[in-house]
Amino acid sequence: MSQDQQQSQQVGVIGLGAMGMGTATALLSSGFQVTGCDIASGAREVFSAAGGKSVATPAELAHCDVVLVIVVNGQQAEEVLFGAQGVVAHLAPGSVILQCATVAPSQAKQLGERLSAAGLWMLDAPISGGAAKAKSGDLSVMASGQPEVFNKAQRVLDAMAAKVYRLGDTPGVGSSMKLVNQLLAGVHIATAAEAMALGIRMGLDPEVIYEVITHSAGNSWMFENRVPHILSGDYTPLSAVDIFVKDLNIVHQTGRELSLATPVAASALQQFTAASGAGFGREDDSAVIKVYQRLSGIALPEAANDAEGAK
């Protein structure tokens, strides 16, 4: 697609959080006309300052050819699509919805059916990679939908993702794959926190633990990515504890639907739930280690400004 063709394609992004903002700005950088939608005025102001157009309600995206839904959960996805100010009633027939939120596979199937009945196309297209990769257009997209929908959305997908996995022809498959990813991600974060808590409780230097494990067989992507948050004492949310309360609950519920036990995921869910109950739900998901601090009194690294203030 030429730059002129991209500029003629109108793209809407519903949800200007960390992932949505990054994706919206990546699309802007690729030459698309992008309208961002968020109820938070601050998020709209940031996107407008970046050169995009901003609106407060999904209904104001009627001019868009492709709409990305990058919200927190299935309830929000339902609301922005079919609620009183939802976008579905206002889009032209044949428009494409990329449903990028993490939802249950059963809900993704239902959304696909309802959108099809409304004359719209849907890709079940959960995303992974974090805010940095969203901003650089290097996400992974786990997508399923009819080939015609992929063709309509391909250039948008190319601009937002380093890898687009075509997993099937019907909605639900993409969300199933994302659920596998979230099970592993949640378990790995909870396990990284437990390993760090054990090492600290045994008297090991947290920095040395990180150095050794990231060069040993026990390493994981999540250990390498999240433990630095613990080492710096900075729990500014890049992905919050409550996200994994939600996602691991979806894993648990889907397992029940399939009569498949998920005991390891269930254990991780309990740790994230405990962290949320202790008041850390909106902190970075690495704050799950604070559960161990509460239980055993381990001393966690402090943020630089906190350490200065304690002097």
Side-chain angles (χ1 to χ4, degrees):
M1 178 183 276
S2 69
Q3 188 79 357
D4 287 344
Q5 287 174 309
Q6 285 182 333
Q7 289 175 346
S8 69
Q9 189 166 26
Q10 299 280 348
V11 180
V13 178
I14 303 176
L16 296 175
M19 296 286 278
M21 183 70 76
T23 301
T25 54
L27 292 169
L28 269 181
S29 297
S30 293
F32 290 94
Q33 295 189 53
V34 184
T35 304
C37 174
D38 202 288
I39 59 173
S41 59
R44 297 197 303 271
E45 290 168 4
V46 169
F47 187 59
S48 295
K53 178 182 177 182
S54 298
V55 297
T57 66
E60 297 173 80
L61 298 175
H63 61 287
C64 293
D65 308 298
V66 179
V67 175
L68 285 68
V69 177
I70 311 180
V71 294
V72 171
N73 55 36
Q75 181 179 356
Q76 289 187 6
E78 171 79 20
E79 181 65 22
V80 301
L81 289 171
F82 298 103
Q85 294 295 322
V87 70
V88 168
H90 303 277
L91 290 173
S95 299
V96 176
I97 301 286
L98 270 62
Q99 203 304 104
C100 301
T102 301
V103 302
S106 55
Q107 183 179 8
K109 293 176 185 177
Q110 293 170 359
L111 290 174
E113 292 168 357
R114 293 172 67 188
L115 289 169
S116 178
L120 304 175
W121 299 94
M122 174 178 144
L123 273 187
D124 179 19
I127 55 180
S128 182
K133 288 190 176 181
K135 188 174 181 179
S136 64
D138 291 321
L139 292 170
S140 292
V141 180
M142 309 165 207
S144 61
Q146 296 181 30
E148 300 94 320
V149 196
F150 276 103
N151 291 339
K152 285 175 173 283
Q154 191 62 55
R155 292 166 180 93
V156 171
L157 291 168
D158 289 343
M160 63 186 281
K163 183 66 177 180
V164 178
Y165 295 95
R166 294 193 178 201
L167 301 172
D169 293 342
T170 58
V173 184
S175 287
S176 295
M177 186 62 71
K178 180 62 184 294
L179 213 54
V180 173
N181 183 80
Q182 294 309 92
L183 185 157
L184 290 166
V187 166
H188 287 174
I189 294 168
T191 304
E194 185 169 292
M196 288 299 297
L198 175 64
I200 293 169
R201 187 70 177 84
M202 292 190 298
L204 297 175
D205 184 326
E207 296 279 356
V208 175
I209 298 172
Y210 181 75
E211 173 66 19
V212 172
I213 295 302
T214 54
H215 292 87
S216 303
N219 192 33
S220 69
W221 190 94
M222 282 299 186
F223 185 96
E224 193 162 347
N225 183 266
R226 295 308 203 267
V227 171
H229 305 177
I230 297 170
L231 298 178
S232 66
D234 183 359
Y235 298 96
T236 303
L238 300 179
S239 174
V241 163
D242 280 343
I243 293 295
F244 279 99
V245 175
K246 170 186 72 78
D247 289 357
L248 290 174
N249 259 310
I250 297 174
V251 171
H252 177 66
Q253 292 163 6
T254 302
R256 290 183 62 186
E257 291 173 7
L258 300 171
S259 298
L260 177 71
T262 54
V264 179
S267 180
L269 171 59
Q270 290 303 310
Q271 291 302 103
F272 283 107
T273 302
S276 182
F280 309 129
R282 294 191 176 183
E283 295 189 20
D284 188 77
D285 50 35
S286 59
V288 70
I289 196 172
K290 294 184 179 182
V291 174
Y292 298 95
Q293 182 184 42
R294 288 283 183 93
L295 293 174
S296 67
I298 59 172
L300 295 177
E302 297 180 6
N305 56 347
D306 292 341
E308 287 296 323
K311 290 181 180 179

